[in-house]
Amino acid sequence: MDLIQDLDVVLPIVERMRTDRRFAVTVAITDWLDKISPRVSRELLARSVVPLVITKKDAIEGLEPDLGRIGAVITACETNHPAHRVPHAVVRRANNRAIPTYTLQHGLENIGLTYFEPYPDHDGPIEMASSTILTWGPVEKLPAEVNPTMRARCFAVGTPKPQQPPRVELPLQSQTGPVVAVFENLHWERYTDSYRETFIRDLRQVAAARPEMTFLLKPHHAGRYLAKNKHLLADAPSNIVLADPTVSPWEHYTAGAIIGSVDAVITTPSTVALDAAGATCPVAVVGYGMTLPVYEPLPILTDAGSWLSFIDGVRVGSSELQCRMKEFRMRHVIEGDAVGHILDKIAADVGRTSEGKRPRRRA
């Protein structure tokens, strides 16, 4: 693991592997991740898993981790994009040693798999080196833009993340009314300055119009746009609470923990929309003129008025919204035990690989 958000998709697999006699699991994390997100090591140690901490440099140069006795390699996010160079290097090294490699779909809009807009810091097509790409939804429903050689390596399992996150006590002071979680990933290059400005203006306006409600503002755990630009929230209504993941006590509150503990979710285009729909938490996506077919049929917010209409509709309850959320989830995720599918797939593949490496007995 090398990204902060990797833990959310990897942890359910690690937990199950620890109790499955077919596996002995080692979890490798980079020193950067260990430093920037103490939650990762804390969650692993809580499950009696001591992570192997390696440097980014050693991983990229092929020195770590040691693959000598490894039967399979699993990565949470692996492509040839510079942001994923650590797992990409490890996977390519494993491939050269004929070790089965697996990477997980890590988001609703996964570059190279379900998202194909150009990236300013990467030239050429996005490619994955893993021998198997584990997708959330049916392979036949992947976009036509998927590289044919990558499509041939895709295997549908569902999402390993738990569908219904537990409800936890959020560190909110003097909170008595409904709580709306507002998620932002405004650091993403896809957003214009106009989008960002409108998002902040509408949030402030809506919070002022509903003073009895708390608006829990959760920045992307890595991008942290509004945490890094707090001046944009100067003089904002006091019922907007910034959940900066670098500040205690918010560091260990993931999106899943928040979604399971609030009354509604408003988000910029993000996997958060799918997570909320899976948890049956009312959710809407902020569009502002963007073409977002992947998020249909969820409500797409266009201005402060539509923010308020969504919030007020949630308060009175809406069976129509629940039906729309169910349809949205069914479009993107196959049902069933995703972790079980993953473990069975790996065990079968490793068994075949081991069988193929055994010397044939002489007659």
Side-chain angles (χ1 to χ4, degrees), residues 30-356:
T30 60
D31 54 346
W32 177 87
L33 179 59
D34 192 39
K35 178 181 178 180
I36 201 73
S37 183
R39 177 178 69 95
V40 174
S41 288
R42 185 169 62 243
E43 293 288 349
L44 292 171
L45 292 171
R47 292 158 176 83
S48 301
V49 177
V50 180
L52 171 66
V53 181
I54 61 177
T55 69
K56 280 177 171 279
K57 182 175 181 290
D58 282 350
I60 293 169
E61 293 181 354
L63 302 176
E64 291 284 354
D66 181 9
L67 301 179
R69 299 181 60 190
I70 298 299
V73 171
I74 308 170
T75 57
C77 179
E78 179 268 310
T79 74
N80 60 345
H81 187 280
H84 309 146
R85 61 190 179 277
V86 168
H88 191 63
V90 174
V91 165
R92 292 182 64 184
R93 185 158 57 95
N95 287 345
N96 290 337
R97 303 180 67 155
I99 299 172
T101 53
Y102 303 84
T103 195
L104 304 167
Q105 179 177 344
H106 63 274
L108 178 60
E109 294 184 282
N110 196 130
I111 62 171
L113 196 62
T114 55
Y115 184 80
F116 302 93
E117 294 299 319
Y119 272 74
D121 53 350
H122 177 76
D123 295 326
I126 294 292
E127 298 176 354
M128 299 177 187
S130 297
S131 51
T132 300
I133 302 163
L134 301 167
T135 66
W136 293 352
V139 175
E140 62 272 17
K141 291 189 177 181
L142 288 172
E145 297 94 327
V146 175
N147 183 319
T149 62
M150 282 175 45
R151 185 186 295 271
R153 289 179 275 129
C154 289
F155 185 83
V157 293
T159 174
K161 293 192 289 186
Q163 183 171 333
Q164 191 63 51
R167 190 171 186 89
V168 298
E169 193 71 29
L170 297 173
L172 295 171
Q173 297 179 353
S174 305
Q175 181 271 316
T176 56
V179 179
V180 176
V182 181
F183 292 84
E184 63 90 353
N185 57 359
L186 295 175
H187 64 286
W188 199 351
E189 297 89 345
R190 77 188 299 182
Y191 303 117
T192 63
D193 288 341
S194 175
Y195 182 104
R196 296 185 178 99
E197 292 166 4
T198 306
F199 180 92
I200 297 166
R201 183 193 66 211
D202 286 353
L203 170 60
R204 295 170 65 115
Q205 183 176 335
V206 169
R210 297 292 182 271
E212 74 282 7
M213 304 180 74
T214 297
F215 291 84
L216 181 58
L217 178 58
K218 175 66 170 69
H220 185 275
H221 217 89
R224 299 177 46 246
Y225 183 83
L226 285 177
K228 293 177 179 178
N229 295 278
K230 294 178 182 177
H231 63 280
L232 298 175
L233 298 172
D235 302 320
S238 60
N239 57 333
I240 296 177
V241 178
L242 179 65
D244 185 343
T246 65
V247 176
S248 181
W250 290 109
E251 189 267 336
H252 64 284
Y253 284 91
T254 63
I258 291 174
I259 288 170
S261 309
V262 297
D263 300 286
V265 167
I266 292 174
T267 182
T268 52
S270 165
T271 305
V272 164
L274 187 60
D275 294 340
T280 65
C281 179
V283 58
V285 180
V286 182
Y288 295 151
M290 297 177 68
T291 303
L292 300 172
V294 72
Y295 293 94
E296 296 174 353
L298 295 181
I300 306 297
L301 307 184
T302 57
D303 53 29
S306 58
W307 282 54
L308 290 169
S309 295
F310 167 71
I311 292 168
D312 294 341
V314 167
R315 297 176 75 176
V316 300
S318 171
S319 58
E320 178 198 1
L321 178 57
Q322 290 297 328
C323 290
R324 291 164 72 177
M325 292 194 300
K326 182 178 180 180
E327 179 183 345
F328 171 63
R329 181 174 175 83
M330 291 179 65
R331 282 181 54 206
H332 297 289
V333 179
I334 63 172
E335 298 299 322
D337 179 12
V339 176
H341 295 329
I342 292 169
L343 268 57
D344 289 346
K345 169 68 172 169
I346 295 172
D349 290 350
V350 172
R352 284 192 293 269
T353 301
S354 300
E355 188 70 30

